DNA sequence: GTAGGGTTAG
């Protein structure tokens, strides 16, 4: 057997650059870590190879790929020549390693270098602005791209759509999208625009745009990006029938195995009152990652299936998946909504040591809420003080505690919590409403009326909380405190509510649905009100609406109907209670 | 040859 021939001489005194570059590319392509990139770099220097612009750019890109930004910067600063690729590579490196501001700053520096930025440079800079969600900075980059004649490029324009969307400037995003000539729009542009609507809770706009894409012969077939956005849009506006329809499209286009879409479907069904369908989609997943698990745990939590959520959580941990802050919040919510207070508290106390997650304000708020629901108000107060949260988060935390005090008729503590709420609340309407309700619950109707009248005098209005749900393709809208139900059946439904209250009392429900119904009265600014929405003492941040649809009664639960603005996305069914109401409905009929 | 755009859980 002959010795294999040595292909590369051990010591190459001088490689011609032309033959070296492919070798360099080959070496750098296999180098995913800093050590091997640095080793290749060292070999080159040792061999005394003259560095060319191209070889330096390759090295620069390799350093950026392993986020070795100080090495990259060092190399960049030493380069005798830099072209637009060198600048853009460094910019992209900063953006990818979570330093978008430095990336955008490079756009100014290019001016002084005499290098002309191109479409790639601009798309990179715009995308960095998107990460910052900074519309002001983004607009500046947009202007510069226009001047440079790069703003009409498909990729730059798509990045602009995304950037304006991430910065919450929907109109600007749409203007850029509309400004794109039909051939310039591709699947990515459509996907970006759909995502803008979906991510900004404009579900109906997303659905409308998707319909346009499907009917106008745009020549674009929905892909997994668009489908996940549209499903998520259906979830945000609780459009079950359209969501099911999109689910059909997902299956027809062979995207049934896509995890991102599946997560959106799990979420959509859970928000539309179909926990069973959520479960079906989840069970059909091959190897669910942390996000699907979190999604189904949150769904179970909303339906009061605490034990089920804990089982899923344990199964997930057994599979070696590491829970994150969102997962743990979901599990805590599950404990909270199922009265598993001590389990929830143990989780809060052990999450740092067991899972390496430091509790954040939302975990404390959840714990405070959990203690509050259970009537353990002193402990809830201690927890609230311990959390030491600020700003909007403090508002959420203390509002939750205030609601709990009101529910448990602890006016002494309600006053304290009410003070804290007013400290942090700029929009004080919600806080005052809760305070007024707290007085009313404690039987101090004069004080309650005084708060209301002071609100009227000061021109402070609280928009009535409302929520809606689709039953057999018909949307039903409910306003907080509205006592009118579907036409002539009002009396019958109120009677049903009373019966429900009795049944619930047998199950340990304390307090009265009826009294809350009266004290919660808001101005009803629409004539669509078809139900009553009252807070449940065992679930202080939830309201419950009872309405009629197609001759049967149902319970509709909306989270946080009184204080918060974001409850609109949380329309859900409370499964077990729904069953009882349906049974009651049969008795009443 | 080296640099660019869109998706899911709270």
């Amino acid at each position: 057997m002959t010795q294999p021939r040595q292909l590369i001489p051990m010591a190459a005194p001088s490689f011609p650059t032309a033959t070296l570059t492919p070798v360099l590319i080959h070496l750098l392509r296999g180098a995913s870590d800093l050590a091997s990139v640095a080793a290749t770099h060292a070999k080159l220097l040792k061999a005394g190879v003259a560095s060319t612009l191209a070889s330096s750019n390759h090295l620069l890109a390799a350093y950026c790929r392993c986020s070795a930004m100080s090495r990259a910067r060092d190399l960049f600063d030493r380069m005798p020549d830099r072209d637009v690729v060198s600048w853009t590579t460094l910019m992209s490196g900063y953006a990818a390693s979570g330093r978008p501001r430095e990336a955008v700053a490079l756009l100014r520096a290019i001016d002084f270098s005499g290098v002309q930025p191109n479409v790639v440079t601009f798309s990179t800079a715009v995308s960095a602005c998107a990460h910052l969600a900074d519309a002001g900075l983004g607009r500046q980059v947009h202007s510069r791209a226009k001047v440079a004649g790069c703003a009409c490029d498909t990729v730059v324009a798509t990045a602009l759509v995304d950037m304006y969307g991430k910065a919450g400037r929907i109109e600007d995003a749409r203007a850029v999208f509309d400004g794109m000539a039909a051939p310039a729009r591709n699947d990515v542009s459509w996907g970006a625009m759909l995502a803008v609507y979906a991510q900004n809770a404009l579900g109906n706009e997303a659905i409308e745009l998707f319909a346009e894409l499907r009917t106008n012969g745009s020549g674009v077939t929905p892909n997994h990006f668009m489908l996940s956005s549209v499903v998520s849009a259906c979830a945000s506006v609780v459009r079950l029938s359209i969501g099911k329809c999109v689910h059909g499209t997902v299956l027809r286009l062979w995207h049934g195995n896509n995890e991102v879409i599946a997560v959106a479907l799990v979420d959509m069904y859970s928000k539309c009152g179909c926990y069973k369908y959520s479960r079906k989609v989840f069970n059909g997943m091959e190897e669910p990652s942390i996000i699907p698990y979190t999604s189904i745990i949150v769904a179970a939590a909303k339906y009061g299936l605490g034990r089920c959520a804990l089982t899923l959580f344990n199964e997930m941990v057994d599979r070696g998946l590491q829970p994150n802050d969102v997962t743990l919040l979901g599990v805590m919510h599950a404990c909270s909504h199922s009265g598993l207070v001590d389990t929830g508290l143990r989780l809060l106390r052990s999450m740092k040591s067991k899972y390496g997650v430091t509790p954040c304000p939302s975990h404390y708020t959840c714990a405070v809420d959990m203690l509050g629901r259970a009537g353990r108000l002193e402990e809830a107060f201690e927890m609230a003080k311990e959390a030491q949260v600020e700003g909007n988060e403090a508002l959420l935390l203390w509002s939750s505690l205030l609601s709990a005090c009101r529910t448990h008729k602890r006016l002494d503590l309600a006053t304290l919590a009410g003070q804290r709420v007013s400290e942090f609340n700029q929009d004080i309407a919600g806080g005052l409403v809760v305070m007024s309700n707290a007085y009313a619950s404690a039987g101090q109707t004069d004080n309650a009326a005084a708060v209301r009248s002071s609100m009227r005098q000061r021109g402070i209005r609280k928009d009535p909380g409302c929520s809606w749900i689709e039953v057999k393709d018909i949307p039903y809208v409910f306003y907080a405190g509205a006592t009118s139900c579907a036409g002539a059946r009002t009396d019958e439904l109120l009677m049903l509510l009373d019966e429900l209250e009795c049944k619930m009392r047998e199950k340990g429900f304390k307090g009265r649905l009826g009294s809350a119904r009266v004290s919660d009265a808001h101005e009803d600014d629409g004539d669509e009100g078809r139900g009553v929405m009252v807070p449940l003492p065992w679930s202080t941040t939830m309201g419950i609406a009872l309405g009629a649809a197609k001759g049967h009664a149902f319970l509709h639960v909306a989270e946080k109907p009184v204080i918060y603005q974001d409850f609109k996305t949380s329309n859900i069914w409370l499964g077990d209670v729904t069953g009882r109401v349906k049974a009651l409905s049969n008795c009443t009929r």
Side-chain angles (χ1 to χ4, degrees):
Chain A
M1 207 182 219
T2 53
Q3 281 288 98
R5 201 154 57 89
Q6 201 170 358
L7 292 174
I8 302 171
M10 287 302 282
S14 63
F15 259 125
T17 313
T19 63
L20 179 102
T21 310
V23 177
L24 174 74
I25 294 165
H26 178 77
L27 284 173
L28 291 175
R29 197 167 280 164
S32 54
D33 60 307
L34 176 58
S36 34
V37 175
T40 308
H41 192 180
K43 271 184 206 156
L44 281 171
L45 291 173
K46 204 172 172 184
V49 174
S51 57
T52 61
L53 179 59
S55 68
S56 296
N57 280 347
H58 278 288
L59 264 173
L60 188 62
Y63 278 127
C64 287
R65 270 198 299 274
C66 40
S67 302
M69 289 316 293
S70 54
R71 292 290 195 103
R73 184 77 211 208
D74 197 47
L75 175 65
F76 180 84
D77 287 340
R78 289 166 194 272
M79 283 165 67
D81 299 312
R82 303 174 193 117
D83 64 359
V84 65
V85 176
S86 329
W87 283 95
T88 310
T89 304
L90 188 67
M91 186 186 272
S92 162
Y94 277 127
S97 26
R99 294 159 71 171
R101 220 164 263 289
E102 284 155 277
V104 182
L106 282 176
L107 197 61
R108 282 185 203 285
I110 292 182
D111 278 344
F112 299 102
S113 74
V115 171
Q116 182 67 35
N118 64 15
V119 289
V120 184
T121 321
F122 280 111
S123 58
T124 308
V126 171
S127 151
C129 295
H131 280 110
L132 290 165
D134 186 336
L137 198 60
R139 203 179 298 282
Q140 287 176 32
V141 176
H142 188 178
S143 303
R144 297 205 42 195
K146 273 185 196 162
V147 172
C150 293
C152 289
D153 176 78
T154 300
V155 179
V156 174
T158 304
L160 283 166
V161 169
D162 176 55
M163 181 276 294
Y164 282 123
K166 294 264 170 28
R169 311 299 272 258
I170 320 301
E171 306 272 312
D172 293 321
R174 185 64 200 239
V176 174
F177 181 75
D178 287 339
M180 292 173 83
R185 285 186 193 170
N186 61 13
D187 55 339
V188 186
S189 335
W190 281 91
M193 194 61 229
L194 283 168
V196 168
Y197 285 135
Q199 289 169 351
N200 285 280
L202 293 168
N204 289 320
E205 283 80 354
I207 290 165
E208 205 175 304
L209 188 69
F210 187 66
E212 196 184 318
L213 170 95
R214 298 292 276 157
T215 54
N216 276 3
S218 59
V220 171
T221 306
N223 60 23
H224 60 286
F225 289 101
M226 301 178 207
L227 290 166
S228 47
S229 287
V230 175
V231 173
S232 149
C234 293
S236 76
V237 285
V238 203
R239 301 285 294 269
L240 178 61
S241 48
I242 297 175
K244 280 181 174 172
C245 195
V246 177
H247 191 174
T249 309
V250 168
L251 298 176
R252 277 196 301 280
L253 296 176
W254 300 99
H255 287 296
N257 287 323
N258 181 284
E259 186 181 280
V260 178
I261 297 177
V263 168
L265 285 167
V266 167
D267 187 52
M268 186 272 292
Y269 282 125
S270 110
K271 283 180 178 153
C272 291
C274 304
Y275 175 74
K276 277 187 179 167
Y277 283 13
S278 290
R279 232 10 241 259
K280 252 186 179 169
V281 174
F282 177 80
N283 290 343
M285 297 175 78
E286 291 269 331
E287 261 194 39
S289 73
I290 183 75
I291 296 180
Y293 264 109
T294 305
S295 175
I296 194 71
I297 286 169
V298 169
K302 282 184 176 165
Y303 286 76
L305 304 170
R307 297 270 172 216
C308 181
L310 286 169
T311 306
L312 285 160
F313 177 68
N314 291 332
E315 177 189 301
M316 189 199 85
V317 173
D318 287 345
R319 286 190 175 187
L321 294 169
Q322 183 75 19
N324 60 27
D325 53 337
V326 185
T327 321
L328 292 165
L329 186 64
V331 181
M332 282 186 65
H333 260 119
C335 294
S336 175
H337 286 218
S338 304
L340 304 165
V341 182
D342 293 312
T343 309
L345 289 178
R346 268 200 302 278
L347 193 65
L348 178 74
R349 296 298 178 204
S350 67
M351 57 199 266
K352 179 82 186 79
S353 59
K354 263 186 163 168
Y355 309 111
V357 177
T358 309
C360 66
S362 51
H363 296 107
Y364 283 107
T365 303
C366 185
V368 166
D369 186 53
M370 184 159 61
L371 287 163
R373 281 163 200 256
R376 290 159 68 169
L377 290 169
E378 277 79 8
E379 287 171 78
F381 257 84
E382 288 311 307
M383 179 75 71
K385 284 186 229 160
E386 180 196 336
Q388 293 196 333
V389 295
E390 293 286 325
N392 218 27
E393 284 155 343
L395 177 63
L396 286 171
L397 189 149
W398 288 101
S399 300
S400 158
L401 193 46
L402 175 56
S403 286
C405 293
R406 167 258 170 107
T407 304
H408 292 278
K409 299 193 171 57
R410 288 291 303 272
L411 200 59
D412 51 330
L413 294 174
T415 313
L416 290 173
Q419 280 167 0
R420 302 301 287 262
V421 169
S422 55
E423 277 172 39
F424 294 106
N425 201 356
Q426 295 98 19
D427 168 31
I428 55 175
L432 287 172
V433 169
V434 180
M435 204 58 227
S436 155
N437 290 337
Y439 281 125
S441 306
Q444 301 190 13
T445 43
D446 290 354
N447 283 333
V451 174
R452 289 281 178 183
S453 107
S454 138
M455 281 177 71
R456 267 192 299 278
Q457 279 168 12
R458 292 154 67 190
I460 300 168
R461 274 182 65 97
K462 169 79 179 77
D463 291 335
C466 92
S467 56
W468 62 95
I469 195 162
E470 261 181 41
V471 177
K472 298 195 195 308
D473 296 354
I474 298 171
Y476 290 85
V477 184
F478 299 90
Y479 286 89
T483 45
S484 61
C485 303
R489 299 181 69 107
T490 302
D491 291 342
E492 190 185 337
L493 281 160
L494 292 180
M495 236 165 69
L496 188 58
L497 189 66
D498 290 338
E499 287 185 43
L500 172 71
E501 185 185 301
C502 292
K503 288 271 179 190
M504 286 164 76
R505 278 166 175 251
E506 286 168 18
K507 300 272 180 184
F509 170 84
K510 296 184 183 94
R512 266 192 62 82
L513 290 176
S515 64
R517 187 169 70 218
V518 175
S519 68
D520 252 353
H522 292 282
E523 298 90 335
D524 186 348
D525 67 354
D527 44 16
E528 286 186 283
R530 284 206 182 92
V532 289
M533 192 189 287
V534 296
L536 292 173
W538 40 264
S539 170
T540 54
T541 60
M542 293 177 113
I544 183 166
L546 178 62
K550 302 229 168 153
H552 69 270
F554 61 90
L555 273 177
H556 174 218
V557 177
E559 268 189 291
K560 302 168 184 171
V562 181
I563 306 176
Y564 309 114
Q565 299 300 314
D566 64 344
F567 70 92
K568 285 182 183 172
T569 59
S570 309
N571 287 356
I572 56 165
W573 289 87
L574 193 67
D576 50 346
V577 186
T578 306
R580 275 186 252 159
V581 172
K582 277 186 180 165
L584 276 169
S585 166
N586 292 334
C587 300
T588 325
R589 236 183 290 167

